[in-house]
Amino acid sequence: MLAAARAAFAERGYDGATIRGIATAAGVDPALVHHYFGNKDKLFLAAVEAPADPAEFLPEGLADGPDALGENVLRLFLRLWDGPIRPTGLALIRSAVGNEWTARLLREFLVSQVMRRVVATLDISPAEREARGALVASQLVGLVMTRYVLKIEPVASATGESLVAAYAPTIQRYLTGEVELPVPGRRPGPTLRQVVADS
């Protein structure tokens, strides 16, 4: 079931995959998927081997409203990464860097389980939510790479509070401030691997 779920989420994304379709691909009844995983969110978290369930920790970061989102989300993010999720999170990040399939799953996790919940608290259009969420994700993923993967100083050994002071204003601006939002353009061209495979 998990193999079928990973394939479905990677190919069709979180929104496009269905429990019924995953069950059919796995050759089981949808009721069996519900029995073992409960719902689509839980199945997705199991499929991507997520280091934590955002539904459990995000409410704390969202509790003080839009004006405190940048600081609260970042403080929560750092507490998790400096604590229990780091080993699993790093394994997922490293795998995603070298594996397109894992990268798709990680992207779906960040978009559907984390950023969508954060920007849902903002009274803006869906397109603006998506754009602002992508900007915030760029900061958070960049911070993970700088602090935990590449370990670039002084960010690698900085205190959490000093990072909140440095990063939170930018994250808050991306969420609620004046910012030139990225607009969808043409799709990027094929990767080198695809060019080689097609030749």
Side-chain angles (χ1 to χ4, degrees):
M1 285 187 282
L2 285 176
R6 288 185 189 106
F9 288 127
E11 291 168 11
R12 292 186 284 282
Y14 177 82
D15 293 331
T18 65
I19 285 185
R20 181 173 298 281
I22 290 166
T24 299
V28 300
D29 190 278
L32 193 62
V33 179
H34 284 290
H35 172 75
Y36 281 107
F37 300 101
N39 59 34
K40 185 175 167 182
D41 276 354
K42 298 293 185 187
L43 174 61
F44 178 73
L45 292 174
V48 301
E49 298 176 11
D53 183 352
E56 294 177 3
F57 64 79
L58 267 181
E60 176 187 339
L62 308 178
D64 294 331
D67 292 340
L69 266 182
E71 183 175 323
N72 288 348
V73 167
L74 181 57
R75 187 170 279 118
L76 175 63
F77 178 83
L78 287 168
R79 193 174 79 231
L80 288 166
W81 271 92
D82 286 337
I85 76 164
R86 189 190 306 183
T88 309
L90 283 174
L92 187 58
I93 291 281
R94 288 182 174 126
S95 178
V97 168
N99 184 301
E100 175 61 26
W101 191 68
T102 308
R104 288 182 187 178
L105 291 175
L106 179 58
R107 181 180 64 233
E108 288 300 316
F109 174 73
L110 288 172
V111 171
S112 70
Q113 303 298 306
V114 180
M115 295 318 307
R116 191 176 288 173
R117 286 184 165 104
V118 172
V119 297
T121 63
L122 305 176
D123 187 20
I124 53 179
S125 72
E128 188 174 349
R129 286 179 186 168
E130 182 178 2
R132 288 183 181 271
L135 289 172
V136 173
S138 74
Q139 289 294 300
L140 297 179
V141 172
L143 180 55
V144 167
M145 293 298 292
T146 303
R147 182 171 172 84
Y148 306 105
V149 178
L150 301 177
K151 299 182 180 177
I152 298 173
E153 293 293 355
V155 173
S157 61
T159 65
E161 284 307 307
S162 69
L163 291 175
V164 169
Y167 280 80
T170 298
I171 293 174
Q172 186 66 44
R173 182 172 64 89
Y174 283 163
L175 287 166
T176 61
E178 292 292 325
V179 62
E180 188 71 29
L181 296 173
V183 294
R186 67 177 186 85
R187 292 280 182 195
T191 64
L192 179 60
R193 184 180 294 167
Q194 290 168 328
V195 170
V196 171
D198 292 341
S199 62

